[in-house]
Amino acid sequence: SSTEETIEVTSKALTQNGLDLILSQADKQAEAITNQIENAQFVAQTFANDIAHLSDSPVLSALSDKEKRDYLTDKLLGLFKGYPDYLGMMLPLEPNVIGDDSGFTFTDGGENELDGHISSGQFVPYWYEENGQYILDKVSSVVDPAKNAYYTCPKNRSAPCLIDPDKFDLGGVTYLLTTVSVPILKEGSFLGVVGVDFSANFVQQLVEQSDTQLYGGKGAVYLVSSDANIIAYSENASMAGQALSQAN
């Protein structure tokens, strides 16, 4: 009947309009996320190129091994200070890239423990800011295969990597932290990584905004990583980092 045909046409139109609206919102949010990632990648790539150039330059060659490490530590801090929105910056290098690591070994927890190094002497500085103070730490997980994707991914791919967000507490605030890491390459040789940690909390806000704009929040919006982990969920922000299979 004409009534049934009208209902069918109307139903198809509503479905198409809904899909168009969803795709439109997805495009807008994807653009916002991409901009954040590309900005962080640009910062990391520029610094990686700088480090690659410095690795055999007269600037470093004239310095002692300790002075070289101090110089690069300060240079990383200077970069970090220029980007107050970032949560941290790292410069883990391959063993013995900046002189002989054996001169910088120590016992974990001992009095001679060195900031910016792991006990083998490998140079792995990490700067972060907490309560208005800049703190030098080390990327201790660089030798942990279960936690060092930020290092092994760019090393194996010889290309930048985006690491899936994970929860991180800093200064009493819980962040959804993600890392853009870029390999430092000198004539094809891998020297280390420049990594930029930034808050992905804005993604949760974007997802909630999308949910509100789609039929007045009567639906639910997920953002899911390539390995099926929840990055953001409009109905429950605490599910970030959990597997999609755990969502109700």
Side-chain angles (χ1 to χ4, degrees):
S1 68
S2 60
T3 301
E4 291 175 342
E5 291 175 353
T6 300
I7 292 174
E8 182 179 358
V9 170
T10 302
S11 176
K12 289 181 178 178
L14 286 172
T15 300
Q16 186 60 52
N17 287 340
L19 289 173
D20 289 344
L21 182 59
I22 290 170
L23 291 173
S24 175
Q25 288 297 320
D27 285 343
K28 291 178 182 178
Q29 310 308 359
E31 182 179 1
I33 294 169
T34 299
N35 287 340
Q36 289 277 353
I37 294 169
E38 288 181 345
N39 289 340
Q41 182 177 326
F42 175 79
V43 171
Q45 185 66 68
T46 302
F47 194 66
N49 294 342
D50 192 15
I51 297 302
H53 174 72
L54 280 171
S55 62
D56 60 358
S57 72
V59 174
L60 287 187
S61 298
L63 303 177
S64 69
D65 288 351
K66 183 181 184 307
E67 289 171 336
K68 291 174 184 176
R69 296 173 189 229
D70 290 344
Y71 177 85
L72 294 180
T73 298
D74 291 342
K75 191 172 182 65
L76 181 64
L77 175 59
L79 179 69
F80 181 45
K81 286 182 175 180
Y83 295 90
D85 290 338
Y86 292 149
L87 298 178
M89 287 189 180
M90 69 179 80
L91 182 63
L93 300 182
E94 285 281 89
N96 302 308
V97 164
I98 304 296
D100 187 355
D101 288 349
S102 65
F104 300 87
T105 60
F106 58 86
T107 301
D108 284 323
E111 294 182 358
N112 64 337
E113 187 167 340
L114 294 174
D115 291 333
H117 296 74
I118 55 176
S119 59
S120 65
Q122 186 175 350
F123 183 61
V124 291
Y126 179 80
W127 282 104
Y128 68 97
E129 186 268 336
E130 186 172 17
N131 299 323
Q133 299 293 319
Y134 292 101
I135 300 173
L136 175 61
D137 203 347
K138 58 190 175 187
V139 192
S140 56
S141 59
V142 70
V143 292
D144 185 346
K147 298 179 180 180
N148 66 353
Y150 59 83
Y151 194 80
T152 56
C153 178
K155 180 178 182 178
N156 294 335
R157 294 182 63 226
S158 294
C161 290
L162 175 67
I163 308 305
D164 283 348
D166 200 0
K167 290 181 180 177
F168 180 76
D169 291 325
L170 183 63
V173 179
T174 299
Y175 293 95
L176 191 61
L177 180 146
T178 192
T179 303
V180 170
S181 54
V182 172
I184 303 169
L185 300 173
K186 181 71 171 182
E187 298 177 352
S189 296
F190 176 78
L191 303 183
V193 159
V194 175
V196 174
D197 288 343
F198 62 95
S199 171
N201 288 6
F202 75 98
V203 175
Q204 177 65 33
Q205 297 169 359
L206 291 177
V207 165
E208 292 174 359
Q209 290 172 8
S210 295
D211 183 39
T212 300
Q213 294 166 4
L214 288 170
Y215 303 121
K218 294 180 180 178
V221 178
Y222 291 90
L223 183 63
V224 182
S225 69
S226 58
D227 56 359
N229 286 329
I230 296 172
I231 296 175
Y233 175 37
S234 61
E235 308 305 299
N236 186 355
S238 67
M239 292 196 68
Q242 298 184 27
L244 180 61
S245 58
Q246 297 178 352
N248 294 326

